[in-house]
Amino acid sequence: MPHQLTTSYIKDSNELFRYYKKLVERALAQCPDDGLFTELDTESNCIAIIVKHMAGNMRSRWKDFLTSDGEKPDRNRDTEFEAPPRTRAELMELWESGWKYLFDAIEPLTDADMSRTVTIRTEPHSVTQAINRQIAHYSYHLGQITFLAKHFAAQSGQWTAVTIPRKKSADFNTRVASGQASQR
């Protein structure tokens, strides 16, 4: 998608979420199935657990985004780090369900909504603060997923960069300047 100059925070946030989702899906597609469920050590989470946590967070934060606390009373965050999905299909179903909550909440927002206050764990946030909080949180976990997917795919020699490949920055910059590529 070509980068477009916009003054709409909502539009830019939505496009940024979609961009990061797409990048990670390209990484997940390259990860061998067993890599989705492998922990690097006892203090690490596997990709499946990170996805489960993100899906739980997304449901909690984005369901009834403007009208209820972003920490839903029925969420049990601790269980998000137990019993990962067992198959790629189950993992991807969780992945999509979480993102659906996000996009269903953010796409109908209007400029007037930006002046509203939402709560997360009873603490007030502006809509902008709440969105920024989630962009930062998800970027953290999306980086973890991409790192792990790259690690497991590269072990079998099956990794293709999801952003700018090594030693290709100048080529990418030229392609962006000529309109052949985009930063997003």
Side-chain angles (χ1 to χ4, degrees):
M1 131 182 72
H3 178 73
Q4 296 177 0
L5 179 65
T6 180
T7 58
S8 170
Y9 178 77
I10 298 164
K11 182 178 186 309
D12 193 56
S13 297
N14 185 26
E15 289 178 2
L16 196 57
F17 280 124
R18 288 192 180 281
Y19 172 73
Y20 284 128
K21 178 181 186 280
K22 181 178 158 184
L23 281 181
V24 174
E25 287 170 350
R26 289 174 30 207
L28 287 170
Q30 296 180 66
C31 185
D33 285 353
D34 62 334
L36 299 171
F37 310 99
T38 301
E39 296 173 347
L40 294 182
D41 56 58
T42 58
E43 288 299 311
S44 297
N45 293 309
C46 66
I47 290 171
I49 286 289
I50 298 168
V51 168
K52 183 179 179 185
H53 165 60
M54 286 185 67
N57 178 278
M58 288 172 161
R59 185 191 68 79
S60 192
R61 295 294 182 268
W62 298 104
K63 182 179 179 187
D64 305 321
F65 174 62
L66 294 173
T67 59
S68 70
D69 192 282
E71 186 67 12
K72 303 299 182 276
D74 63 345
R75 180 184 185 204
N76 185 345
R77 182 184 177 277
D78 292 337
T79 62
E80 294 167 8
F81 297 93
E82 303 168 353
R86 291 179 291 213
T87 66
R88 180 182 289 270
E90 288 176 15
L91 179 146
M92 295 310 294
E93 186 176 321
L94 271 176
W95 175 260
E96 290 299 335
S97 70
W99 287 102
K100 183 171 179 5
Y101 281 111
L102 185 154
F103 293 125
D104 285 352
I106 203 168
E107 287 175 351
L109 292 176
T110 66
D111 289 338
D113 292 321
M114 299 311 288
S115 64
R116 295 180 66 171
T117 300
V118 297
T119 57
I120 302 172
R121 295 188 179 108
T122 73
E123 294 182 334
H125 293 69
S126 68
V127 167
T128 303
Q129 286 176 316
I131 292 170
N132 285 345
R133 177 181 172 145
Q134 296 318 112
I135 289 172
H137 181 214
Y138 301 152
S139 294
Y140 172 82
H141 289 308
L142 297 172
Q144 291 173 319
I145 292 169
T146 302
F147 171 83
L148 290 168
K150 180 179 181 178
H151 171 79
F152 293 117
Q155 284 182 331
S156 60
Q158 301 300 315
W159 178 254
T160 302
V162 297
T163 57
I164 304 167
R166 289 180 182 200
K167 302 183 188 258
K168 298 291 183 180
S169 295
D171 177 56
F172 181 76
N173 291 344
T174 300
R175 291 177 49 231
V176 169
S178 69
Q180 297 172 19
S182 176
Q183 299 173 73
R184 284 199 197 164

